[in-house]
């Protein structure tokens, strides 16, 4: 199926997974990242992130179908460059496009310096030589229609109004004539990233022209799912609308869950029955501490900001965020109801990652909870199966433990923040606590008989 030359700009979650999966499909892939350590690791077969199945793919393809470099020289001789750099929130929630702009500029320069690339590649390090070789570089003629595919999540109109003008300026070439442009949003979930990339529900390709879309569509030949080809800004909006809908389902489940709690109803029983309606579906109705992660919160903020810039106030989306921000506060209120003043109390926090099966702590719901605990003078004893080290720079002064049992030793109470499978098995471990108070933010604790258990919304 493979045989294209592909550059991946930004080897983070999306870039690393895209690169490894495309290499597995038989394409020659060069990852470009400004982080030299990441690049060295990739070339040594070490994936930059923790994802099931990724290490095997990196070890299989590194140095062969998959190489990495810190410069953009591979771009001009690739068929497609995927932009996979981060698009975080700026202060006011607006999307921060600074890395997208830098990457677009570098792509433009590479497309302009096609000749120069050849020289640099030959004189450069052995890794770059390997990259050049494995990408099958032979300077292509002007018929080559290099396609820039934006995989990063960007607000509607970004590709047309930001990426294209920058690439045109620095390449001195014209979009739609000298190079192609597409938007190919990514829908993978962290923790299931390789699986999701290989088994998508749909593939969306926004295209500047048919030729651009066709080049990208070719890479997905053989995928057994609907392929949607549309315009650039429609593809950008499909990504935001998808994330916004999923976030809305979670806040809806939390709103209902908060009412259930007042009525002493188990909202999981309610949502199980609600989700059986095929028009609703059972997914993303798990009430609890709310959504975190590198995408839902920042994408919601970016969409809200974009809407308001256009003069529209998106009331529903704002409420979704309000409900989400309220959930961690509800956890602390439940804790205070049990313990009173938290000053000097030893609180175990189980789960730091924003969800299970990842070491990613970006916008984890554990962050506002730990912040409130420390602000109130509590002593925090934390444990996560994978994310301790990623949380340490955010909270250097709390205690980190290598097992749940260690964190629970002598604790006045415990808050459960992440839906890790191993927490389902916790039982005897709670016996080492001073008070066996457990506030569960994820409905994950199964053995509840010998503890003072309190669910957040159930
Ligand atoms: P990330 O922060 O994990 O990775 C970004 C990478 O880009 C980093 O390795 C960084 O070193 C590199 N980088 C920074 N500046 C660069 C430059 N000028 N040139 C080349 N590389 C550069 O980000 P991510 O989580 O992979 O997200 C990337 C995009 O994909 C975002 O827009 C995000 O919203 C979207 N997305 C993410 C996910 C996810 O699960 N993480 C899923 C779907 C979509
Ligand atoms: C999410 C989307 O699911 C992906 O489709 C999308 O590609 C990605 O964002 C993105 O754009 O980056 P991800 O953030 O990896 O993926 O994780 P999810 O499984 O969606 O979970 C997000 C958060 O919602 C987690 O904090 C999780 O605990 C929470 N959640 C999820 C709930 O609170 N309840 C649920 O029912 C489901």
């Amino acid at each position: 199926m493979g045989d294209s030359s592909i550059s991946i700009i930004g080897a983070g979650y999306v870039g690393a997974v895209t690169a490894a999966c495309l290499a597995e499909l038989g394409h020659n892939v060069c990852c470009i990242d400004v982080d030299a350590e990441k690049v060295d690791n990739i070339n040594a077969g070490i994936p930059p992130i923790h994802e099931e199945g990724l290490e095997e793919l990196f070890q299989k393809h590194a140095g062969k179908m998959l190489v990495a470099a810190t410069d953009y020289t591979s771009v001009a001789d690739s068929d497609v460059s995927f932009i996979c750099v981060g698009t975080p929130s700026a202060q006011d929630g607006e999307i921060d496009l600074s890395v997208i702009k830098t990457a677009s500029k570098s792509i433009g320069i590479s497309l302009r310096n096609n000749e120069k690339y050849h020289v640099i590649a030959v004189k450069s390090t052995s890794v770059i030589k390997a990259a050049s070789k494995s990408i099958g570089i032979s300077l292509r003629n002007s018929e080559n229609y290099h396609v820039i595919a934006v995989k990063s999540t960007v607000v509607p109109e970004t590709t047309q109004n930001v990426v294209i003008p920058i690439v045109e300026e620095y390449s001195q070439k014209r979009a739609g004539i000298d190079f192609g442009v597409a938007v190919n949003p990514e829908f993978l979930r962290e923790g299931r990233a390789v699986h999701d990339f290989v088994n998508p529900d749909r593939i969306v390709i926004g295209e500047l022209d048919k030729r651009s879309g066709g080049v990208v569509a070719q890479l997905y030949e053989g995928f057994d799912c609907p392929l949607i080809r549309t315009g650039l800004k429609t593809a950008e909006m499909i990504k935001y609308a998808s994330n916004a809908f999923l976030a809305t389902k979670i806040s809806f489940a939390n709103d209902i869950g908060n009412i259930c709690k007042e009525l002493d109803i188990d909202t999981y029983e309610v949502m199980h029955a609600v989700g059986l309606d095929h028009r609703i579906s059972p997914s993303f109705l798990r009430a609890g501490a709310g959504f975190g992660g590198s995408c839902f919160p920042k994408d919601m903020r970016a969409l809200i900001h974009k809407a308001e810039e256009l003069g529209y106030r998106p009331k529903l989306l704002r409420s979704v965020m309000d409900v989400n921000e309220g959930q961690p506060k509800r956890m602390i209120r439940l804790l205070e109801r049990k313990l009173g003043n938290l000053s000097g109390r030893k609180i175990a926090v189980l789960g730091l990652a924003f969800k299970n099966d990842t070491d990613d702590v970006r916008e984890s719901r554990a962050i506002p909870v730990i912040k409130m605990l420390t602000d109130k003078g509590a002593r925090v004893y934390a444990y996560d199966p994978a994310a301790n080290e990623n949380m340490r720079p955010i909270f250097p002064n709390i205690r980190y433990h290598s097992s749940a049992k260690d964190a629970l030793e002598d604790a006045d109470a415990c808050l459960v923040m992440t839906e890790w499978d191993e927490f389902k098995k916790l039982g005897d471990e709670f016996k080492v606590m001073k008070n066996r108070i457990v506030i569960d933010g994820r409905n994950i604790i199964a053995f509840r008989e010998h503890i003072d258990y309190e669910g957040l919304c159930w």
Side-chain angles (χ1 to χ4, degrees), residues 187-188 190 239 243 284 286 292 295 354-355 419 442:
F187 299 99
L188 62 78
E190 288 183 23
K239 173 64 190 172
N243 274 4
F284 279 71
R286 291 195 327 266
C295 291
F354 83 91
K355 62 183 243 190
E419 56 273 46
R442 296 293 177 186

Side-chain angles (χ1 to χ4, degrees), residues 9 60 98 124 136 143 164 166 176 188 214 224 248 272 286 312 330 361 374 388 433 436 445 447:
I9 321 289
K60 185 171 167 192
S98 53
S124 201
E143 276 163 31
I164 291 178
I166 294 176
L188 62 78
D224 184 20
T248 302
H272 170 68
R286 291 195 327 266
Y312 176 73
R330 293 181 71 87
V361 299
T374 52
N388 280 359
M433 296 175 75
R436 295 184 199 166
I445 301 300
F447 301 108

Side-chain angles (χ1 to χ4, degrees), residues 106-352:
S106 304
I107 291 172
I109 292 168
S110 176
L111 291 180
R112 185 177 186 172
N113 293 346
N114 209 348
E115 295 275 325
K116 191 171 154 224
Y117 161 56
H118 190 59
V119 177
I120 291 170
V122 175
K123 287 188 179 168
S124 201
T125 64
S126 57
V127 169
I128 301 297
K129 281 181 193 162
S132 312
K133 195 174 164 198
S134 84
I135 295 170
I137 289 168
S138 58
L139 273 184
R140 292 178 187 220
N141 57 35
S142 53
E143 276 163 31
N144 184 30
Y145 196 61
H146 178 83
V147 177
I148 299 160
V150 179
K151 218 175 219 321
S152 298
T153 304
V154 291
V155 291
E157 299 182 321
T158 301
T159 302
Q160 187 68 55
N161 295 346
V162 178
V163 176
I164 291 178
I166 294 176
V167 176
E168 285 185 330
E169 181 187 345
Y170 286 94
S171 65
Q172 293 294 299
K173 292 182 175 168
R174 282 162 305 164
I177 295 168
D178 305 311
F179 65 91
V181 180
V183 169
N184 176 216
E186 182 50 60
F187 299 99
L188 62 78
R189 292 163 294 175
E190 288 183 23
R192 303 275 294 157
V194 173
H195 171 272
D196 285 355
F197 188 93
V198 183
N199 302 284
D201 289 331
R202 75 300 206 189
I203 291 162
V204 175
I205 299 174
E207 54 200 26
L208 179 69
D209 50 23
K210 289 278 165 240
R211 197 174 168 197
S212 303
V215 171
V216 178
Q218 238 177 5
L219 301 178
Y220 294 107
E221 260 173 21
F223 276 66
D224 184 20
C225 69
L227 174 76
I228 287 140
R229 288 179 65 173
T230 182
L232 296 175
K233 65 182 174 185
T234 306
E236 291 166 334
M237 192 52 152
I238 288 169
K239 173 64 190 172
Y240 277 92
S242 301
N243 274 4
F245 186 72
L246 293 171
T248 302
K249 279 189 97 173
I250 298 169
S251 279
F252 172 80
N254 285 335
D255 226 11
I256 297 289
N258 294 340
I259 303 170
C260 284
K261 182 75 184 170
E262 298 303 319
L263 291 165
D264 205 16
I265 296 170
D266 182 344
T267 195
Y268 275 74
E269 235 183 292
V270 173
M271 284 307 168
H272 170 68
V274 170
L276 290 175
D277 185 326
H278 73 278
R279 296 167 302 174
I280 297 175
S281 110
S283 308
F284 279 71
L285 291 177
R286 291 195 327 266
F291 56 81
S294 66
C295 291
F296 282 171
K298 65 110 177 148
D299 290 347
M300 290 293 289
R301 287 192 289 264
L303 184 57
I304 290 168
H305 190 280
K306 179 73 183 176
E308 290 178 350
E309 205 177 76
L310 296 166
Y312 176 73
R313 192 178 156 79
K315 294 193 202 78
L316 177 63
L317 301 185
R318 283 190 155 273
S319 303
V320 168
M321 291 304 279
D322 286 348
V323 172
N324 199 51
E325 273 147 35
Q327 295 309 97
K329 292 178 193 150
R330 293 181 71 87
M331 289 205 72
I332 300 296
R333 272 206 296 279
L334 282 180
L335 179 66
E336 283 178 326
R337 216 175 283 166
K338 297 260 185 199
L339 272 185
N341 191 341
L342 298 182
S343 180
R345 297 301 195 123
K346 176 178 174 179
I347 310 297
V349 174
L350 301 187
L352 302 173

Side-chain angles (χ1 to χ4, degrees), residues 12-14 33 38 72 84-85 87 99 153 186 190 298 362:
Y13 279 85
V14 167
D33 203 289
K38 229 175 234 189
Y72 279 65
C84 302
V85 297
T87 48
V99 188
T153 304
E186 182 50 60
E190 288 183 23
K298 65 110 177 148
R362 290 180 285 182

